[in-house]
Amino acid sequence: ETGVTQTPRHLVMGMTNKKSLKCEQHLGHNAMYWYKQSAKKPLELMFVYNFKEQTENNSVPSRFSPECPNSSHLFLHLHTLQPEDSALYLCASSQVEGGDTQYFGPGTRLTVL
Amino acid sequence: GENVEQHPSTLSVQEGDSAVIKCTYSDSASNYFPWYKQELGKRPQLIIDIRSNVGEKKDQRIAVTLNKTAKHFSLHITETQPEDSAVYFCAAFGGYNKLIFGAGTRLAVHP
């Protein structure tokens, strides 16, 4: 598969569950991103990884824990989420970090009950 | 921090008309301005971008203009078609080393 893929596409979880979102990019990029997209709000940057190193944590609560084992894979581990965390979580990648075209995955639609 | 404001939030046009979406940014160090289109249930996709050393860029029916002095940039779509209906996001990248997005414009093109 080409481009940026995300699994699962939909996820429903309770507030006490632990789940993980997965992102994989097949573009040979070096930077990967997690964004949160809520209704009627701008895309919010959550985390940035460049060459597997985290370079940005945009004041994200600790119940969201990212992991980047290599430049092609990015995870978002979820634990004790709140209903207000329900949103579309988008992964993106770019050749380099910074002012470069970002390619988005299809997103994971998360619902927290 | 950097702030990007986008107007209008909704835009309705007749097929064949032009559509213009405007964004302003606050960080004078911003130097890269992409526009993304997000169709319902799909991922955002880059449609055009412009860098600060250029004032205008065109790609078929889509054009972007940049006014660095006024710190605003605009997306122009000519001869709109129903398939142009989507949410459009502007973004700016600058001194804060991250891409900041506008709130989006929902464009509806009516046949």
Side-chain angles (χ1 to χ4, degrees), chain B residues 5-7 20-24 32-38 44-50 62-65 72-76 88-91 101 104-105:
Chain B
E5 295 199 358
Q6 184 171 347
H7 299 280
V20 181
I21 303 170
K22 298 181 179 180
C23 288
T24 59
Y32 174 61
F33 308 90
W35 284 89
Y36 284 84
K37 174 184 180 183
Q38 187 174 26
Q45 291 198 297
L46 181 78
I47 55 171
I48 195 167
D49 57 11
I50 192 168
I62 294 173
V64 57
T65 59
H72 67 70
F73 56 112
S74 300
L75 178 71
H76 304 254
Y88 291 81
F89 294 95
C90 65
F101 285 83
T105 296

PDB file of all heavy atoms in Angstrom, chain B residues 5-7 20-24 32-38 44-50 62-65 72-76 88-91 101 104-105:
ATOM      1  N   GLU B   5      -6.047  33.081  10.902  1.00  0.00           N
ATOM      2  CA  GLU B   5      -7.491  33.283  10.828  1.00  0.00           C
ATOM      3  C   GLU B   5      -7.955  33.089   9.389  1.00  0.00           C
ATOM      4  O   GLU B   5      -7.315  33.588   8.461  1.00  0.00           O
ATOM      5  CB  GLU B   5      -7.859  34.677  11.327  1.00  0.00           C
ATOM      6  CG  GLU B   5      -7.553  34.853  12.805  1.00  0.00           C
ATOM      7  CD  GLU B   5      -8.301  36.019  13.428  1.00  0.00           C
ATOM      8  OE1 GLU B   5      -9.043  36.717  12.708  1.00  0.00           O
ATOM      9  OE2 GLU B   5      -8.121  36.224  14.634  1.00  0.00           O
ATOM     10  N   GLN B   6      -9.075  32.418   9.229  1.00  0.00           N
ATOM     11  CA  GLN B   6      -9.563  32.061   7.906  1.00  0.00           C
ATOM     12  C   GLN B   6     -11.008  32.514   7.761  1.00  0.00           C
ATOM     13  O   GLN B   6     -11.841  32.298   8.651  1.00  0.00           O
ATOM     14  CB  GLN B   6      -9.460  30.541   7.718  1.00  0.00           C
ATOM     15  CG  GLN B   6      -9.859  30.049   6.350  1.00  0.00           C
ATOM     16  CD  GLN B   6      -9.544  28.570   6.140  1.00  0.00           C
ATOM     17  OE1 GLN B   6      -8.811  27.945   6.910  1.00  0.00           O
ATOM     18  NE2 GLN B   6     -10.089  27.996   5.094  1.00  0.00           N
ATOM     19  N   HIS B   7     -11.305  33.121   6.613  1.00  0.00           N
ATOM     20  CA  HIS B   7     -12.665  33.610   6.334  1.00  0.00           C
ATOM     21  C   HIS B   7     -13.017  33.403   4.868  1.00  0.00           C
ATOM     22  O   HIS B   7     -12.142  33.511   4.007  1.00  0.00           O
ATOM     23  CB  HIS B   7     -12.752  35.119   6.636  1.00  0.00           C
ATOM     24  CG  HIS B   7     -12.463  35.450   8.053  1.00  0.00           C
ATOM     25  ND1 HIS B   7     -13.394  35.311   9.059  1.00  0.00           N
ATOM     26  CD2 HIS B   7     -11.319  35.890   8.634  1.00  0.00           C
ATOM     27  CE1 HIS B   7     -12.840  35.661  10.206  1.00  0.00           C
ATOM     28  NE2 HIS B   7     -11.596  36.021   9.980  1.00  0.00           N
ATOM     29  N   VAL B  20     -13.418  32.689  -3.381  1.00  0.00           N
ATOM     30  CA  VAL B  20     -12.201  33.239  -2.784  1.00  0.00           C
ATOM     31  C   VAL B  20     -12.232  33.007  -1.277  1.00  0.00           C
ATOM     32  O   VAL B  20     -13.228  33.316  -0.615  1.00  0.00           O
ATOM     33  CB  VAL B  20     -12.049  34.750  -3.061  1.00  0.00           C
ATOM     34  CG1 VAL B  20     -10.757  35.271  -2.428  1.00  0.00           C
ATOM     35  CG2 VAL B  20     -12.057  35.023  -4.556  1.00  0.00           C
ATOM     36  N   ILE B  21     -11.155  32.462  -0.762  1.00  0.00           N
ATOM     37  CA  ILE B  21     -11.014  32.220   0.682  1.00  0.00           C
ATOM     38  C   ILE B  21      -9.759  32.959   1.139  1.00  0.00           C
ATOM     39  O   ILE B  21      -8.714  32.869   0.484  1.00  0.00           O
ATOM     40  CB  ILE B  21     -10.880  30.718   0.987  1.00  0.00           C
ATOM     41  CG1 ILE B  21     -12.097  29.958   0.438  1.00  0.00           C
ATOM     42  CG2 ILE B  21     -10.741  30.482   2.491  1.00  0.00           C
ATOM     43  CD1 ILE B  21     -11.941  28.442   0.471  1.00  0.00           C
ATOM     44  N   LYS B  22      -9.890  33.673   2.263  1.00  0.00           N
ATOM     45  CA  LYS B  22      -8.790  34.512   2.727  1.00  0.00           C
ATOM     46  C   LYS B  22      -8.280  34.074   4.100  1.00  0.00           C
ATOM     47  O   LYS B  22      -9.062  33.673   4.958  1.00  0.00           O
ATOM     48  CB  LYS B  22      -9.248  35.967   2.793  1.00  0.00           C
ATOM     49  CG  LYS B  22      -9.667  36.524   1.449  1.00  0.00           C
ATOM     50  CD  LYS B  22     -10.092  37.970   1.550  1.00  0.00           C
ATOM     51  CE  LYS B  22     -10.491  38.501   0.175  1.00  0.00           C
ATOM     52  NZ  LYS B  22     -10.908  39.923   0.222  1.00  0.00           N
ATOM     53  N   CYS B  23      -6.978  34.180   4.261  1.00  0.00           N
ATOM     54  CA  CYS B  23      -6.358  33.860   5.549  1.00  0.00           C
ATOM     55  C   CYS B  23      -5.371  34.950   5.929  1.00  0.00           C
ATOM     56  O   CYS B  23      -4.697  35.518   5.062  1.00  0.00           O
ATOM     57  CB  CYS B  23      -5.629  32.516   5.485  1.00  0.00           C
ATOM     58  SG  CYS B  23      -6.753  31.109   5.407  1.00  0.00           S
ATOM     59  N   THR B  24      -5.306  35.228   7.222  1.00  0.00           N
ATOM     60  CA  THR B  24      -4.302  36.144   7.735  1.00  0.00           C
ATOM     61  C   THR B  24      -3.471  35.413   8.775  1.00  0.00           C
ATOM     62  O   THR B  24      -3.949  34.477   9.426  1.00  0.00           O
ATOM     63  CB  THR B  24      -4.938  37.388   8.377  1.00  0.00           C
ATOM     64  OG1 THR B  24      -5.793  36.964   9.464  1.00  0.00           O
ATOM     65  CG2 THR B  24      -5.766  38.164   7.374  1.00  0.00           C
ATOM     66  N   TYR B  32       5.984  29.654   4.514  1.00  0.00           N
ATOM     67  CA  TYR B  32       5.412  28.575   3.703  1.00  0.00           C
ATOM     68  C   TYR B  32       3.914  28.504   3.992  1.00  0.00           C
ATOM     69  O   TYR B  32       3.514  28.466   5.162  1.00  0.00           O
ATOM     70  CB  TYR B  32       6.100  27.245   4.058  1.00  0.00           C
ATOM     71  CG  TYR B  32       5.489  26.033   3.393  1.00  0.00           C
ATOM     72  CD1 TYR B  32       5.472  25.920   2.002  1.00  0.00           C
ATOM     73  CD2 TYR B  32       4.941  25.009   4.131  1.00  0.00           C
ATOM     74  CE1 TYR B  32       4.908  24.814   1.384  1.00  0.00           C
ATOM     75  CE2 TYR B  32       4.375  23.896   3.526  1.00  0.00           C
ATOM     76  CZ  TYR B  32       4.364  23.810   2.149  1.00  0.00           C
ATOM     77  OH  TYR B  32       3.806  22.709   1.542  1.00  0.00           O
ATOM     78  N   PHE B  33       3.118  28.499   2.914  1.00  0.00           N
ATOM     79  CA  PHE B  33       1.667  28.613   3.070  1.00  0.00           C
ATOM     80  C   PHE B  33       0.967  27.593   2.178  1.00  0.00           C
ATOM     81  O   PHE B  33       0.718  27.839   0.996  1.00  0.00           O
ATOM     82  CB  PHE B  33       1.217  30.045   2.700  1.00  0.00           C
ATOM     83  CG  PHE B  33       1.989  31.105   3.428  1.00  0.00           C
ATOM     84  CD1 PHE B  33       3.152  31.636   2.890  1.00  0.00           C
ATOM     85  CD2 PHE B  33       1.556  31.570   4.666  1.00  0.00           C
ATOM     86  CE1 PHE B  33       3.882  32.603   3.567  1.00  0.00           C
ATOM     87  CE2 PHE B  33       2.262  32.541   5.349  1.00  0.00           C
ATOM     88  CZ  PHE B  33       3.425  33.063   4.801  1.00  0.00           C
ATOM     89  N   PRO B  34       0.619  26.441   2.731  1.00  0.00           N
ATOM     90  CA  PRO B  34      -0.102  25.436   1.941  1.00  0.00           C
ATOM     91  C   PRO B  34      -1.614  25.569   2.103  1.00  0.00           C
ATOM     92  O   PRO B  34      -2.105  26.111   3.095  1.00  0.00           O
ATOM     93  CB  PRO B  34       0.392  24.121   2.549  1.00  0.00           C
ATOM     94  CG  PRO B  34       0.666  24.455   3.984  1.00  0.00           C
ATOM     95  CD  PRO B  34       1.091  25.915   4.016  1.00  0.00           C
ATOM     96  N   TRP B  35      -2.320  25.058   1.119  1.00  0.00           N
ATOM     97  CA  TRP B  35      -3.776  24.954   1.192  1.00  0.00           C
ATOM     98  C   TRP B  35      -4.148  23.476   1.030  1.00  0.00           C
ATOM     99  O   TRP B  35      -3.657  22.792   0.128  1.00  0.00           O
ATOM    100  CB  TRP B  35      -4.433  25.764   0.064  1.00  0.00           C
ATOM    101  CG  TRP B  35      -4.424  27.234   0.294  1.00  0.00           C
ATOM    102  CD1 TRP B  35      -3.447  28.118  -0.071  1.00  0.00           C
ATOM    103  CD2 TRP B  35      -5.441  28.007   0.934  1.00  0.00           C
ATOM    104  NE1 TRP B  35      -3.792  29.384   0.307  1.00  0.00           N
ATOM    105  CE2 TRP B  35      -5.011  29.350   0.917  1.00  0.00           C
ATOM    106  CE3 TRP B  35      -6.683  27.702   1.515  1.00  0.00           C
ATOM    107  CZ2 TRP B  35      -5.777  30.393   1.470  1.00  0.00           C
ATOM    108  CZ3 TRP B  35      -7.438  28.733   2.050  1.00  0.00           C
ATOM    109  CH2 TRP B  35      -6.986  30.060   2.028  1.00  0.00           C
ATOM    110  N   TYR B  36      -5.050  23.029   1.910  1.00  0.00           N
ATOM    111  CA  TYR B  36      -5.503  21.653   1.871  1.00  0.00           C
ATOM    112  C   TYR B  36      -7.003  21.606   1.613  1.00  0.00           C
ATOM    113  O   TYR B  36      -7.758  22.462   2.080  1.00  0.00           O
ATOM    114  CB  TYR B  36      -5.210  20.947   3.206  1.00  0.00           C
ATOM    115  CG  TYR B  36      -3.760  20.566   3.395  1.00  0.00           C
ATOM    116  CD1 TYR B  36      -2.839  21.491   3.878  1.00  0.00           C
ATOM    117  CD2 TYR B  36      -3.310  19.296   3.076  1.00  0.00           C
ATOM    118  CE1 TYR B  36      -1.501  21.151   4.051  1.00  0.00           C
ATOM    119  CE2 TYR B  36      -1.974  18.938   3.243  1.00  0.00           C
ATOM    120  CZ  TYR B  36      -1.082  19.870   3.734  1.00  0.00           C
ATOM    121  OH  TYR B  36       0.237  19.522   3.890  1.00  0.00           O
ATOM    122  N   LYS B  37      -7.397  20.555   0.892  1.00  0.00           N
ATOM    123  CA  LYS B  37      -8.814  20.304   0.629  1.00  0.00           C
ATOM    124  C   LYS B  37      -9.186  19.006   1.326  1.00  0.00           C
ATOM    125  O   LYS B  37      -8.480  17.998   1.201  1.00  0.00           O
ATOM    126  CB  LYS B  37      -9.036  20.156  -0.881  1.00  0.00           C
ATOM    127  CG  LYS B  37     -10.449  19.757  -1.291  1.00  0.00           C
ATOM    128  CD  LYS B  37     -10.514  19.552  -2.809  1.00  0.00           C
ATOM    129  CE  LYS B  37     -11.913  19.142  -3.257  1.00  0.00           C
ATOM    130  NZ  LYS B  37     -11.964  18.882  -4.727  1.00  0.00           N
ATOM    131  N   GLN B  38     -10.291  19.035   2.075  1.00  0.00           N
ATOM    132  CA  GLN B  38     -10.744  17.830   2.754  1.00  0.00           C
ATOM    133  C   GLN B  38     -12.195  17.564   2.376  1.00  0.00           C
ATOM    134  O   GLN B  38     -13.109  18.279   2.792  1.00  0.00           O
ATOM    135  CB  GLN B  38     -10.601  17.961   4.279  1.00  0.00           C
ATOM    136  CG  GLN B  38     -10.903  16.666   5.019  1.00  0.00           C
ATOM    137  CD  GLN B  38     -10.626  16.768   6.511  1.00  0.00           C
ATOM    138  OE1 GLN B  38     -10.660  17.842   7.095  1.00  0.00           O
ATOM    139  NE2 GLN B  38     -10.328  15.636   7.148  1.00  0.00           N
ATOM    140  N   PRO B  44      -7.218  15.258   4.562  1.00  0.00           N
ATOM    141  CA  PRO B  44      -6.811  16.522   3.925  1.00  0.00           C
ATOM    142  C   PRO B  44      -5.766  16.229   2.852  1.00  0.00           C
ATOM    143  O   PRO B  44      -4.845  15.433   3.067  1.00  0.00           O
ATOM    144  CB  PRO B  44      -6.202  17.316   5.085  1.00  0.00           C
ATOM    145  CG  PRO B  44      -6.708  16.675   6.324  1.00  0.00           C
ATOM    146  CD  PRO B  44      -6.885  15.225   5.994  1.00  0.00           C
ATOM    147  N   GLN B  45      -5.902  16.909   1.703  1.00  0.00           N
ATOM    148  CA  GLN B  45      -4.935  16.741   0.615  1.00  0.00           C
ATOM    149  C   GLN B  45      -4.465  18.109   0.154  1.00  0.00           C
ATOM    150  O   GLN B  45      -5.283  19.020  -0.038  1.00  0.00           O
ATOM    151  CB  GLN B  45      -5.556  15.961  -0.539  1.00  0.00           C
ATOM    152  CG  GLN B  45      -5.830  14.497  -0.188  1.00  0.00           C
ATOM    153  CD  GLN B  45      -6.025  13.628  -1.404  1.00  0.00           C
ATOM    154  OE1 GLN B  45      -6.950  13.852  -2.142  1.00  0.00           O
ATOM    155  NE2 GLN B  45      -5.154  12.648  -1.593  1.00  0.00           N
ATOM    156  N   LEU B  46      -3.169  18.220  -0.044  1.00  0.00           N
ATOM    157  CA  LEU B  46      -2.589  19.470  -0.515  1.00  0.00           C
ATOM    158  C   LEU B  46      -3.076  19.766  -1.927  1.00  0.00           C
ATOM    159  O   LEU B  46      -3.043  18.891  -2.797  1.00  0.00           O
ATOM    160  CB  LEU B  46      -1.066  19.367  -0.523  1.00  0.00           C
ATOM    161  CG  LEU B  46      -0.331  20.619  -0.983  1.00  0.00           C
ATOM    162  CD1 LEU B  46      -0.304  21.644   0.138  1.00  0.00           C
ATOM    163  CD2 LEU B  46       1.081  20.288  -1.431  1.00  0.00           C
ATOM    164  N   ILE B  47      -3.548  20.990  -2.138  1.00  0.00           N
ATOM    165  CA  ILE B  47      -3.967  21.367  -3.490  1.00  0.00           C
ATOM    166  C   ILE B  47      -3.030  22.399  -4.109  1.00  0.00           C
ATOM    167  O   ILE B  47      -2.859  22.434  -5.335  1.00  0.00           O
ATOM    168  CB  ILE B  47      -5.423  21.875  -3.527  1.00  0.00           C
ATOM    169  CG1 ILE B  47      -5.632  23.031  -2.543  1.00  0.00           C
ATOM    170  CG2 ILE B  47      -6.394  20.742  -3.270  1.00  0.00           C
ATOM    171  CD1 ILE B  47      -6.980  23.709  -2.686  1.00  0.00           C
ATOM    172  N   ILE B  48      -2.429  23.231  -3.299  1.00  0.00           N
ATOM    173  CA  ILE B  48      -1.494  24.226  -3.798  1.00  0.00           C
ATOM    174  C   ILE B  48      -0.753  24.819  -2.611  1.00  0.00           C
ATOM    175  O   ILE B  48      -1.276  24.810  -1.483  1.00  0.00           O
ATOM    176  CB  ILE B  48      -2.215  25.331  -4.614  1.00  0.00           C
ATOM    177  CG1 ILE B  48      -1.218  26.147  -5.444  1.00  0.00           C
ATOM    178  CG2 ILE B  48      -3.036  26.237  -3.712  1.00  0.00           C
ATOM    179  CD1 ILE B  48      -1.888  27.025  -6.509  1.00  0.00           C
ATOM    180  N   ASP B  49       0.455  25.277  -2.822  1.00  0.00           N
ATOM    181  CA  ASP B  49       1.191  25.944  -1.758  1.00  0.00           C
ATOM    182  C   ASP B  49       2.018  27.077  -2.351  1.00  0.00           C
ATOM    183  O   ASP B  49       2.226  27.147  -3.566  1.00  0.00           O
ATOM    184  CB  ASP B  49       2.073  24.974  -0.970  1.00  0.00           C
ATOM    185  CG  ASP B  49       3.077  24.220  -1.843  1.00  0.00           C
ATOM    186  OD1 ASP B  49       3.251  24.574  -3.030  1.00  0.00           O
ATOM    187  OD2 ASP B  49       3.687  23.251  -1.352  1.00  0.00           O
ATOM    188  N   ILE B  50       2.455  27.974  -1.486  1.00  0.00           N
ATOM    189  CA  ILE B  50       3.251  29.106  -1.940  1.00  0.00           C
ATOM    190  C   ILE B  50       4.282  29.430  -0.880  1.00  0.00           C
ATOM    191  O   ILE B  50       4.027  29.263   0.319  1.00  0.00           O
ATOM    192  CB  ILE B  50       2.344  30.330  -2.255  1.00  0.00           C
ATOM    193  CG1 ILE B  50       3.121  31.413  -2.990  1.00  0.00           C
ATOM    194  CG2 ILE B  50       1.702  30.887  -0.991  1.00  0.00           C
ATOM    195  CD1 ILE B  50       2.223  32.498  -3.582  1.00  0.00           C
ATOM    196  N   ILE B  62      -6.985  26.856  -9.967  1.00  0.00           N
ATOM    197  CA  ILE B  62      -6.666  27.253  -8.595  1.00  0.00           C
ATOM    198  C   ILE B  62      -5.472  28.203  -8.596  1.00  0.00           C
ATOM    199  O   ILE B  62      -4.499  27.978  -9.320  1.00  0.00           O
ATOM    200  CB  ILE B  62      -6.351  26.015  -7.741  1.00  0.00           C
ATOM    201  CG1 ILE B  62      -7.603  25.161  -7.593  1.00  0.00           C
ATOM    202  CG2 ILE B  62      -5.818  26.414  -6.372  1.00  0.00           C
ATOM    203  CD1 ILE B  62      -7.347  23.835  -6.919  1.00  0.00           C
ATOM    204  N   ALA B  63      -5.568  29.251  -7.790  1.00  0.00           N
ATOM    205  CA  ALA B  63      -4.451  30.184  -7.643  1.00  0.00           C
ATOM    206  C   ALA B  63      -4.358  30.616  -6.194  1.00  0.00           C
ATOM    207  O   ALA B  63      -5.363  30.620  -5.461  1.00  0.00           O
ATOM    208  CB  ALA B  63      -4.640  31.408  -8.542  1.00  0.00           C
ATOM    209  N   VAL B  64      -3.170  30.935  -5.768  1.00  0.00           N
ATOM    210  CA  VAL B  64      -2.958  31.470  -4.429  1.00  0.00           C
ATOM    211  C   VAL B  64      -2.150  32.753  -4.558  1.00  0.00           C
ATOM    212  O   VAL B  64      -1.219  32.837  -5.361  1.00  0.00           O
ATOM    213  CB  VAL B  64      -2.260  30.449  -3.510  1.00  0.00           C
ATOM    214  CG1 VAL B  64      -0.946  29.986  -4.088  1.00  0.00           C
ATOM    215  CG2 VAL B  64      -2.068  31.002  -2.118  1.00  0.00           C
ATOM    216  N   THR B  65      -2.535  33.758  -3.802  1.00  0.00           N
ATOM    217  CA  THR B  65      -1.811  35.022  -3.760  1.00  0.00           C
ATOM    218  C   THR B  65      -1.326  35.266  -2.344  1.00  0.00           C
ATOM    219  O   THR B  65      -1.975  34.868  -1.379  1.00  0.00           O
ATOM    220  CB  THR B  65      -2.696  36.196  -4.210  1.00  0.00           C
ATOM    221  OG1 THR B  65      -3.846  36.267  -3.356  1.00  0.00           O
ATOM    222  CG2 THR B  65      -3.146  36.014  -5.657  1.00  0.00           C
ATOM    223  N   HIS B  72      -1.330  38.411   4.642  1.00  0.00           N
ATOM    224  CA  HIS B  72      -2.486  37.606   4.290  1.00  0.00           C
ATOM    225  C   HIS B  72      -2.272  36.911   2.958  1.00  0.00           C
ATOM    226  O   HIS B  72      -1.464  37.343   2.124  1.00  0.00           O
ATOM    227  CB  HIS B  72      -3.791  38.406   4.339  1.00  0.00           C
ATOM    228  CG  HIS B  72      -3.936  39.478   3.308  1.00  0.00           C
ATOM    229  ND1 HIS B  72      -4.111  39.247   1.967  1.00  0.00           N
ATOM    230  CD2 HIS B  72      -3.988  40.818   3.458  1.00  0.00           C
ATOM    231  CE1 HIS B  72      -4.239  40.381   1.335  1.00  0.00           C
ATOM    232  NE2 HIS B  72      -4.165  41.354   2.201  1.00  0.00           N
ATOM    233  N   PHE B  73      -2.961  35.820   2.786  1.00  0.00           N
ATOM    234  CA  PHE B  73      -2.888  35.038   1.552  1.00  0.00           C
ATOM    235  C   PHE B  73      -4.276  34.489   1.241  1.00  0.00           C
ATOM    236  O   PHE B  73      -5.101  34.324   2.146  1.00  0.00           O
ATOM    237  CB  PHE B  73      -1.838  33.920   1.655  1.00  0.00           C
ATOM    238  CG  PHE B  73      -1.994  32.952   2.792  1.00  0.00           C
ATOM    239  CD1 PHE B  73      -2.331  31.633   2.555  1.00  0.00           C
ATOM    240  CD2 PHE B  73      -1.777  33.345   4.110  1.00  0.00           C
ATOM    241  CE1 PHE B  73      -2.457  30.723   3.594  1.00  0.00           C
ATOM    242  CE2 PHE B  73      -1.903  32.449   5.158  1.00  0.00           C
ATOM    243  CZ  PHE B  73      -2.242  31.130   4.896  1.00  0.00           C
ATOM    244  N   SER B  74      -4.518  34.275  -0.019  1.00  0.00           N
ATOM    245  CA  SER B  74      -5.864  33.916  -0.468  1.00  0.00           C
ATOM    246  C   SER B  74      -5.831  32.781  -1.475  1.00  0.00           C
ATOM    247  O   SER B  74      -4.886  32.666  -2.257  1.00  0.00           O
ATOM    248  CB  SER B  74      -6.549  35.125  -1.110  1.00  0.00           C
ATOM    249  OG  SER B  74      -6.662  36.194  -0.210  1.00  0.00           O
ATOM    250  N   LEU B  75      -6.894  32.005  -1.448  1.00  0.00           N
ATOM    251  CA  LEU B  75      -7.096  30.934  -2.421  1.00  0.00           C
ATOM    252  C   LEU B  75      -8.208  31.366  -3.373  1.00  0.00           C
ATOM    253  O   LEU B  75      -9.265  31.826  -2.922  1.00  0.00           O
ATOM    254  CB  LEU B  75      -7.498  29.639  -1.713  1.00  0.00           C
ATOM    255  CG  LEU B  75      -7.802  28.440  -2.609  1.00  0.00           C
ATOM    256  CD1 LEU B  75      -6.510  27.902  -3.233  1.00  0.00           C
ATOM    257  CD2 LEU B  75      -8.500  27.332  -1.831  1.00  0.00           C
ATOM    258  N   HIS B  76      -7.946  31.233  -4.656  1.00  0.00           N
ATOM    259  CA  HIS B  76      -8.923  31.602  -5.675  1.00  0.00           C
ATOM    260  C   HIS B  76      -9.235  30.365  -6.509  1.00  0.00           C
ATOM    261  O   HIS B  76      -8.315  29.739  -7.055  1.00  0.00           O
ATOM    262  CB  HIS B  76      -8.361  32.695  -6.586  1.00  0.00           C
ATOM    263  CG  HIS B  76      -7.900  33.911  -5.856  1.00  0.00           C
ATOM    264  ND1 HIS B  76      -8.597  35.099  -5.864  1.00  0.00           N
ATOM    265  CD2 HIS B  76      -6.795  34.136  -5.085  1.00  0.00           C
ATOM    266  CE1 HIS B  76      -7.944  35.998  -5.136  1.00  0.00           C
ATOM    267  NE2 HIS B  76      -6.850  35.441  -4.664  1.00  0.00           N
ATOM    268  N   TYR B  88     -11.894  23.596   2.985  1.00  0.00           N
ATOM    269  CA  TYR B  88     -10.560  24.041   2.610  1.00  0.00           C
ATOM    270  C   TYR B  88      -9.867  24.645   3.833  1.00  0.00           C
ATOM    271  O   TYR B  88     -10.449  25.461   4.555  1.00  0.00           O
ATOM    272  CB  TYR B  88     -10.642  25.079   1.486  1.00  0.00           C
ATOM    273  CG  TYR B  88     -11.101  24.477   0.178  1.00  0.00           C
ATOM    274  CD1 TYR B  88     -12.454  24.260  -0.068  1.00  0.00           C
ATOM    275  CD2 TYR B  88     -10.186  24.099  -0.802  1.00  0.00           C
ATOM    276  CE1 TYR B  88     -12.891  23.675  -1.244  1.00  0.00           C
ATOM    277  CE2 TYR B  88     -10.609  23.515  -1.990  1.00  0.00           C
ATOM    278  CZ  TYR B  88     -11.962  23.308  -2.201  1.00  0.00           C
ATOM    279  OH  TYR B  88     -12.387  22.727  -3.381  1.00  0.00           O
ATOM    280  N   PHE B  89      -8.620  24.228   4.047  1.00  0.00           N
ATOM    281  CA  PHE B  89      -7.828  24.728   5.169  1.00  0.00           C
ATOM    282  C   PHE B  89      -6.591  25.450   4.638  1.00  0.00           C
ATOM    283  O   PHE B  89      -5.881  24.924   3.794  1.00  0.00           O
ATOM    284  CB  PHE B  89      -7.342  23.578   6.060  1.00  0.00           C
ATOM    285  CG  PHE B  89      -8.431  22.837   6.769  1.00  0.00           C
ATOM    286  CD1 PHE B  89      -8.960  21.675   6.232  1.00  0.00           C
ATOM    287  CD2 PHE B  89      -8.916  23.289   7.985  1.00  0.00           C
ATOM    288  CE1 PHE B  89      -9.961  20.985   6.889  1.00  0.00           C
ATOM    289  CE2 PHE B  89      -9.927  22.596   8.650  1.00  0.00           C
ATOM    290  CZ  PHE B  89     -10.450  21.445   8.099  1.00  0.00           C
ATOM    291  N   CYS B  90      -6.348  26.628   5.171  1.00  0.00           N
ATOM    292  CA  CYS B  90      -5.072  27.274   4.922  1.00  0.00           C
ATOM    293  C   CYS B  90      -4.148  26.966   6.097  1.00  0.00           C
ATOM    294  O   CYS B  90      -4.607  26.534   7.173  1.00  0.00           O
ATOM    295  CB  CYS B  90      -5.240  28.779   4.773  1.00  0.00           C
ATOM    296  SG  CYS B  90      -5.812  29.624   6.272  1.00  0.00           S
ATOM    297  N   ALA B  91      -2.874  27.169   5.905  1.00  0.00           N
ATOM    298  CA  ALA B  91      -1.910  26.941   6.980  1.00  0.00           C
ATOM    299  C   ALA B  91      -0.695  27.823   6.751  1.00  0.00           C
ATOM    300  O   ALA B  91      -0.435  28.261   5.622  1.00  0.00           O
ATOM    301  CB  ALA B  91      -1.502  25.475   7.046  1.00  0.00           C
ATOM    302  N   PHE B 101      -2.822  25.744  11.341  1.00  0.00           N
ATOM    303  CA  PHE B 101      -3.930  25.704  10.407  1.00  0.00           C
ATOM    304  C   PHE B 101      -5.007  26.722  10.751  1.00  0.00           C
ATOM    305  O   PHE B 101      -5.234  27.028  11.930  1.00  0.00           O
ATOM    306  CB  PHE B 101      -4.571  24.309  10.399  1.00  0.00           C
ATOM    307  CG  PHE B 101      -3.761  23.273   9.677  1.00  0.00           C
ATOM    308  CD1 PHE B 101      -2.720  22.611  10.299  1.00  0.00           C
ATOM    309  CD2 PHE B 101      -4.046  22.956   8.350  1.00  0.00           C
ATOM    310  CE1 PHE B 101      -1.963  21.655   9.632  1.00  0.00           C
ATOM    311  CE2 PHE B 101      -3.315  22.007   7.670  1.00  0.00           C
ATOM    312  CZ  PHE B 101      -2.266  21.359   8.305  1.00  0.00           C
ATOM    313  N   GLY B 104     -10.803  26.527   8.738  1.00  0.00           N
ATOM    314  CA  GLY B 104     -11.447  25.860   7.612  1.00  0.00           C
ATOM    315  C   GLY B 104     -12.603  26.658   7.027  1.00  0.00           C
ATOM    316  O   GLY B 104     -13.262  27.439   7.723  1.00  0.00           O
ATOM    317  N   THR B 105     -12.831  26.454   5.740  1.00  0.00           N
ATOM    318  CA  THR B 105     -13.963  27.046   5.023  1.00  0.00           C
ATOM    319  C   THR B 105     -14.717  25.931   4.329  1.00  0.00           C
ATOM    320  O   THR B 105     -14.136  25.184   3.549  1.00  0.00           O
ATOM    321  CB  THR B 105     -13.489  28.057   3.968  1.00  0.00           C
ATOM    322  OG1 THR B 105     -12.835  29.150   4.614  1.00  0.00           O
ATOM    323  CG2 THR B 105     -14.663  28.565   3.131  1.00  0.00           C
TER     324      THR B 105
END
